[in-house]
């Protein structure tokens, strides 16, 4: 595997132990990169034949005296492109033959025989040639998607703005009478159901970090075009309609919202959310586009972003994001900061920072925390450097390169830096626990001076044993993030800045920068097992907070206060987005009244307050508890976990508990 080739070398094997027992961080690229949103519009409009001709011409011209010489790696790249295109078309031809064989066994002239013959004809034509019909466009996208999943790890391989890529074909077929809305919805539903065939195989250890069997094949709807005009079209709504009929775990649906988003799209999105209980995610263009610009993406390209997998963002078909490269445990960095680089159990994990006797103000604690975060990031960078080299040498990805702008021009694979934009994306876990804890230290130790910092750290080392009243006060009575309180929300910003600043110091071997994101998958539970007690009252070994969501049960002042806290955070340096979970009680948000209340709430947050992202569970906690007791009675109960959804029964018991314990808001 990539990991063994990268780390089974002298001086590197200690990192294997870090991967096996991930405490400070987990590097997900040990299994491959995946996480891509390719240029499907190019495939639909021009087919692979355009890239094949470009490669053929370049190779031929290089052989002439007046032609541009090619380096060995460039020659290999263009040759691999041609071989890959030939193989993809052969795969499509094999599928066409099978469809024709099956058609021969159907009743002559039957609906099923016609469907199979149409599918065969499509596979004979795409993805080599430009799609001629809406169905061929869907078929081309699906075949390239399968090839991407076969080439690399299937995680997060996404379609992005497929409503934009396919709309001209849809419109033409509607106008010619070849297609009607009902048939279009049927085809889209079939397309989305195919996504359910992709299921990851995780060990029990890995499932603790990424529980739920999700692969997060993202579809992005709505948003603006490259000129900044609303790009919502009829197809945007039909993808929602189709998903409303199936309500499955896959694909991930993301709706882009901005100032000119039509009311009907947000209405339809919330209606689907009410029926599914978990989809779609809502993304805020007003915050996301500036963040992508700050990361170095041109305005017109930033406007044309698609969502990768959970919530990660990329300029569609132009970016190699390495969008889920690693996740970092922030609360353990605070633990190390309070014990000179050692865990409370005495194990040295970090760098030596100031003794607590030298910490006279909260700024001293913050400084030590930032140093521990920087050390974790530098350790991640070392491991990722080894892995990037291994991927570059042993796992080039020509299919991905065919779908990524810049590669055919430069003659470089995406793993060699061929994409127009190159990033490495690192996620923080447990952000709000750190923010709440910094506020607790400032309030109780440095402002009120109720204890010395040394005494308080001893209480933490003993996991609040003998100090239960103090723990209860810290957990339930002290101000917490998620209630619209600026002073405590500021400390969450301080904690986030420590992470995004450290991430911003790094660059990858492809010539790109690192960018920060704030989401947890289910690493909050896994990392929490190795993390000591925290100043916010959290006990050692218990789960950590998720994304920028409030600690479960801490958001006591309702959904508007939670969204006010989230909106207050400066996200310009968060080019890999965040997760904000909000849970509503199904009984109080049903019907037209509930829909309009949610529409108003989300539009205000995403447009007026420039929120970046929000994802929702609309659930009945009693139903979830019944599902725990009798899982066979609830096989299709869908829940929002992190940036992805899962069937409740597929989750680890601890993650099921976490979903149940989230604050359930209502109206």
């Amino acid at each position: 595997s990539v990991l063994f080739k990268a780390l089974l070398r002298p001086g590197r094997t200690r990192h294997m132990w870090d991967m096996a027992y991930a405490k400070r961080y987990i590097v997900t690229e040990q299994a491959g990169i995946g996480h891509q949103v390719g240029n499907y519009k190019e495939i639909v409009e021009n087919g692979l034949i355009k890239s094949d001709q470009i490669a053929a011409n370049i190779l031929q011209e290089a052989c002439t005296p007046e032609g541009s010489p090619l380096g060995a790696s460039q020659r290999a790249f263009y040759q691999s492109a041609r071989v890959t295109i030939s193989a993809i078309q052969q795969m499509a031809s094999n599928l066409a033959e099978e469809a024709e064989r099956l058609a021969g066994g159907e009743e002559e002239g039957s609906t099923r025989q016609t469907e199979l013959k149409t599918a065969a004809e499509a596979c004979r034509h795409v993805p080599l040639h430009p799609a001629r019909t809406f169905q061929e466009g869907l078929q081309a996208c699906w075949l390239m998607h399968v090839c991407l999943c076969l080439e690399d790890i299937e995680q997060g391989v996404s379609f992005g703005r497929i409503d934009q890529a396919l709309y001209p074909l849809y419109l033409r077929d509607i106008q010619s009478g070849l297609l009607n809305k009902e048939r279009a919805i049927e085809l889209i539903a079939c397309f989305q159901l195919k996504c359910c065939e992709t299921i990851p195989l995780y060990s029990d250890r890995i499932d603790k970090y990424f529980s739920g069997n999700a692969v997060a094949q993202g579809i992005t709807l709505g948003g603006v075009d490259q000129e900044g005009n609303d790009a919502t079209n009829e197809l945007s709504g039909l993808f929602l309609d189709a998903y409303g009929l199936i309500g499955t775990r896959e694909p991930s649906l993301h709706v882009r919202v901005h100032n000119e988003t039509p009311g009907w799209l947000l209405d339809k999105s919330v209606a689907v959310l009410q029926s599914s209980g978990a989809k779609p995610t809502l993304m805020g263009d007003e915050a996301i586009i500036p963040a992508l610009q700050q990361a170095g993406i041109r305005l017109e390209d930033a406007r044309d972003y698609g969502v990768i997998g959970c919530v990660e963002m990329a300029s569609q078909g132009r970016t190699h994001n390495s969008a889920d490269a690693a996740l970092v445990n922030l609360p353990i960095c605070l633990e190390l900061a309070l014990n000179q680089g050692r865990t409370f159990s005495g194990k040295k994990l970090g760098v030596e920072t100031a003794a607590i006797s030298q910490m006279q103000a909260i700024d001293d604690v913050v400084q030590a925390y930032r140093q521990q975060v920087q050390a974790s990031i530098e350790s991640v960078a070392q491991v990722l450097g080894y892995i990037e080299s291994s991927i570059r040498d042993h796992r080039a990805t020509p299919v991905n390169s065919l779908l990524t702008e810049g590669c055919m021009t430069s003659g470089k694979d995406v793993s060699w830096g061929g994409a127009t934009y190159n990033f490495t994306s690192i996620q923080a876990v447990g952000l709000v626990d750190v923010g709440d804890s910094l506020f607790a230290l400032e309030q109780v130790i440095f402002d009120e001076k109720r204890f010395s910092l040394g005494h308080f750290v001893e209480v933490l080392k003993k996991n609040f044993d003998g100090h239960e009243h103090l723990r209860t006060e810290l957990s339930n009575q002290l101000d917490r993030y998620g209630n619209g309180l600026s002073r405590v929300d500021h400390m969450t910003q301080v904690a986030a800045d420590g992470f995004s600043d450290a991430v911003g110091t790094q660059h990858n071997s492809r010539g790109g920068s690192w960018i920060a994101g704030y989401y947890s998958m289910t690493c909050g539970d896994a990392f929490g097992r190795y993390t000591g007690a925290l100043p916010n009252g959290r006990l050692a070994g218990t789960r950590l907070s998720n994304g920028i969501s409030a600690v479960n049960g801490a958001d006591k002042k309702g959904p508007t206060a939670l969204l006010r806290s989230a909106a207050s955070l400066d996200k310009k340096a968060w080019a890999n987005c965040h997760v904000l979970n909000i849970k509503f009680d199904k009984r109080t948000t049903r019907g037209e009244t509930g829909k309009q209340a949610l529409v108003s709430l989300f539009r205000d947050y995403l447009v007026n307050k420039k929120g970046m992202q929000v994802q929702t569970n609309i659930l009945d906690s009693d139903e979830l508890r019944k599902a725990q007791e009798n899982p066979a009675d609830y096989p299709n109960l869908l829940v929002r976990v992190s940036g992805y959804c899962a069937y409740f029964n597929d989750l680890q018991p601890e993650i099921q508990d976490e979903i149940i314990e989230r604050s359930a808001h209502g109206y």
Side-chain angles (χ1 to χ4, degrees), residues 240-314:
L240 289 168
D241 290 335
Y243 181 78
L245 296 175
I246 58 176
T248 48
R249 179 186 64 226
E250 297 287 341
S252 293
L253 289 182
H254 309 277
V255 175
R256 290 177 47 176
V257 179
H258 60 96
N259 189 47
E260 300 300 324
T261 293
W264 67 261
L265 182 66
L266 198 49
D267 281 359
K268 189 182 290 286
S269 299
V270 172
V272 172
L273 181 57
Q274 286 175 309
S275 64
S276 71
K279 296 184 185 182
T281 296
L282 301 178
M283 312 293 293
D285 282 7
E286 312 292 339
I288 288 172
I289 292 171
L292 293 176
Q293 283 185 270
Q294 181 155 312
I297 297 178
R298 294 182 304 170
L299 174 59
E300 58 268 34
D301 293 342
R303 286 168 171 160
D304 190 26
Y305 77 86
V307 181
I308 301 172
C310 293
V311 294
E312 306 97 295
M313 308 169 305

Side-chain angles (χ1 to χ4, degrees), residues 26-291:
I26 184 168
V27 174
T28 56
E29 283 191 3
Q30 59 183 288
I33 295 176
H35 294 88
Q36 181 62 309
V37 55
N39 194 348
Y40 289 96
K41 184 178 181 181
E42 169 69 18
I43 298 301
V44 168
E45 292 184 351
N46 297 309
L48 289 169
I49 195 167
K50 179 181 177 182
S51 294
D52 189 54
Q53 290 170 344
I54 290 172
N57 291 340
I58 290 173
L59 289 168
Q60 184 176 6
E61 289 172 8
C63 296
T64 64
E66 63 274 12
S68 301
L70 292 175
S73 62
Q74 286 180 306
R75 184 177 297 277
F77 171 79
Y78 289 117
Q79 289 171 337
S80 73
R82 298 207 70 198
V83 170
T84 300
I85 290 168
S86 176
I88 292 171
Q89 189 54 30
Q90 183 60 57
M91 181 188 76
S93 296
N94 292 342
L95 292 170
E97 289 179 8
E98 178 63 9
E100 289 165 349
R101 185 189 70 80
L102 293 172
E106 297 292 332
E107 181 182 347
E108 191 65 30
S110 65
T111 300
R112 182 56 180 158
Q113 186 184 66
T114 301
E115 289 175 342
L116 289 165
K117 286 183 175 180
T118 302
E121 183 181 0
C123 289
R124 293 285 184 202
H125 190 75
V126 297
L128 183 62
H129 299 286
R132 300 164 297 189
T133 66
F134 179 67
Q135 182 168 340
E136 285 189 352
L138 284 170
Q139 184 68 70
C141 292
W142 179 253
L143 288 172
M144 294 307 298
H145 177 75
V146 169
C147 292
L148 279 170
C149 291
L150 290 172
E151 176 180 74
D152 200 351
I153 186 173
E154 74 285 344
Q155 282 294 322
V157 177
S158 299
F159 302 98
R161 308 190 74 184
I162 198 168
D163 61 340
Q164 307 300 308
L166 296 177
Y167 185 61
L169 291 171
Y170 167 79
L171 198 60
R172 190 167 66 197
D173 286 359
I174 288 288
Q175 291 172 347
S176 69
L178 183 64
L179 187 70
N180 58 38
K181 290 182 183 179
E182 290 72 24
R183 176 61 177 162
I185 290 173
E186 181 183 6
L187 289 170
I188 294 168
C190 290
F191 179 86
Q192 293 178 336
L193 284 169
K194 290 291 288 184
C195 295
C196 300
E197 297 177 1
T198 307
I199 300 177
L201 294 176
Y202 288 155
S203 67
D204 183 65
R205 181 181 70 85
I206 293 297
D207 192 54
K208 296 183 189 309
Y209 294 85
F210 307 98
S211 183
N213 295 335
V215 291
Q217 299 153 96
I219 291 175
T220 307
L221 305 172
V224 298
D225 61 19
Q226 289 188 280
E227 286 70 48
N229 302 311
D230 177 58
T232 307
N233 58 49
E234 189 174 6
L235 207 50
S236 311
L238 296 189
F239 269 90
L240 289 168
D241 290 335
Y243 181 78
L245 296 175
I246 58 176
T248 48
R249 179 186 64 226
E250 297 287 341
S252 293
L253 289 182
H254 309 277
V255 175
R256 290 177 47 176
V257 179
H258 60 96
N259 189 47
E260 300 300 324
T261 293
W264 67 261
L265 182 66
L266 198 49
D267 281 359
K268 189 182 290 286
S269 299
V270 172
V272 172
L273 181 57
Q274 286 175 309
S275 64
S276 71
K279 296 184 185 182
T281 296
L282 301 178
M283 312 293 293
D285 282 7
E286 312 292 339
I288 288 172
I289 292 171

